[in-house]
């Protein structure tokens, strides 16, 4: 008999295939990446949530009190009684308004530039989340501004009282308008 050509002792050890080596390497690389990336992502997410529930969408707040121009719209029926950013339910008969950039608690004079009608609102919510709109108002305020027919209108927003980050309140460009009326 030949000296065991097919015996175990004469066979070369079976090495892993190239394909298997690549899979193992890929698995190791992905494991390292995920073990480093996921904790960092979870920490960043937790930091953003603690800062504000809508921190990812909230731009820099404008506490300057300067006049701004843009478009206004008003809250639709689906928003009635939903909670606003300040935690209160939206009341269609209130003077509540939403702004992406004015701080909550800001009082502002909103003037419809088409017809000259104006109303004083209080910023209590965030929005509108529609491009080129700077403020959403309650249906009652929409009636006062005369925009229910068209749904939107060009407006001028003059802050009257702007809460500052230190707790003080700064008069805005609309403060003089309100004092003249009283």
């Amino acid at each position: 008999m030949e000296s065991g050509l097919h015996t175990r002792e004469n066979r070369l050890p079976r090495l892993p295939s190239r394909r298997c080596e690549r899979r193992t390497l890929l698995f190791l690389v992905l494991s390292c990446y995920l073990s480093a990336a996921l904790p960092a992502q979870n920490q960043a997410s937790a930091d953003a949530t603690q800062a504000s529930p809508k921190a990812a969408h909230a731009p820099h707040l404008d506490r300057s009190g300067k006049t701004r121009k843009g478009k206004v719209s008003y809250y639709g029926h689906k928003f009635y009684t939903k909670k606003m950013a300040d935690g209160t339910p939206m009341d269609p008969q209130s003077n509540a308004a939403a702004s992406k950039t004015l701080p909550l608690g800001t009082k502002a004079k909103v003037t419809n530039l088409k017809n000259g009608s104006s109303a004083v609102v209080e910023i209590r919510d965030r929005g509108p989340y529609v491009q080129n709109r700077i403020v959403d108002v309650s249906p009652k305020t929409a009636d006062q501004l005369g925009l229910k027919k068209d749904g939107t209108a060009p407006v001028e927003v003059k802050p009257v009282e702007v809460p500052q980050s230190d707790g003080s309140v700064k008069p805005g460009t609309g403060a003089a308008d309100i004092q003249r009326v009283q």
Side-chain angles (χ1 to χ4, degrees):
M1 187 174 229
E2 294 184 31
S3 62
L5 285 176
H6 296 290
T7 63
R8 256 183 207 244
E9 296 85 31
N10 292 338
R11 276 195 225 153
L12 291 174
R14 191 166 198 186
L15 297 175
S17 69
R18 284 264 199 219
R19 187 179 210 179
C20 186
E21 287 175 358
R22 286 186 193 136
R23 283 185 184 164
T24 304
L25 182 61
L26 181 62
F27 176 77
L28 289 173
V29 169
L30 286 174
S31 296
C32 290
Y33 172 77
L34 291 176
S35 66
L38 286 179
Q41 181 182 10
N42 290 341
Q43 181 60 41
S45 177
D47 291 345
T49 306
Q50 287 173 355
S52 166
K54 294 185 179 180
H57 300 115
H60 177 70
L61 292 178
D62 179 8
R63 296 182 189 275
S64 69
K66 293 180 181 175
T67 300
R68 300 173 41 216
K69 290 183 179 181
K71 278 196 169 191
V72 66
S73 54
Y74 66 96
Y75 286 94
H77 286 292
K78 71 179 182 177
F79 294 102
Y80 292 9
T81 71
K82 286 197 176 183
K83 278 195 177 182
M84 295 188 295
D86 70 353
T88 61
M90 205 299 279
D91 176 6
Q93 296 302 312
S94 71
N95 69 336
S99 171
K100 290 177 284 214
T101 58
L102 291 172
L104 297 180
T106 298
K107 290 183 177 44
K109 179 182 175 188
V110 179
T111 303
N112 183 334
L113 297 175
K114 278 186 174 179
N115 62 20
S117 299
S118 64
V120 175
V121 299
E122 182 178 355
I123 305 300
R124 296 174 50 199
D125 201 7
R126 290 287 165 235
Y129 296 106
V130 176
Q131 192 171 8
N132 299 324
R133 295 195 193 159
I134 62 169
V135 68
D136 264 344
V137 296
S138 68
K140 176 185 173 186
T141 305
D143 281 335
Q144 292 171 345
L145 295 173
L147 65 97
K148 279 252 185 132
K149 180 183 174 193
D150 295 331
T152 64
V155 291
E156 179 179 68
V157 178
K158 287 185 171 184
V160 176
E161 296 177 358
V162 184
Q164 301 298 300
S165 54
D166 65 0
S168 64
V169 176
K170 176 182 178 176
T173 56
D177 294 348
I178 299 302
Q179 288 175 354
R180 275 187 257 142
V181 173
Q182 293 176 348

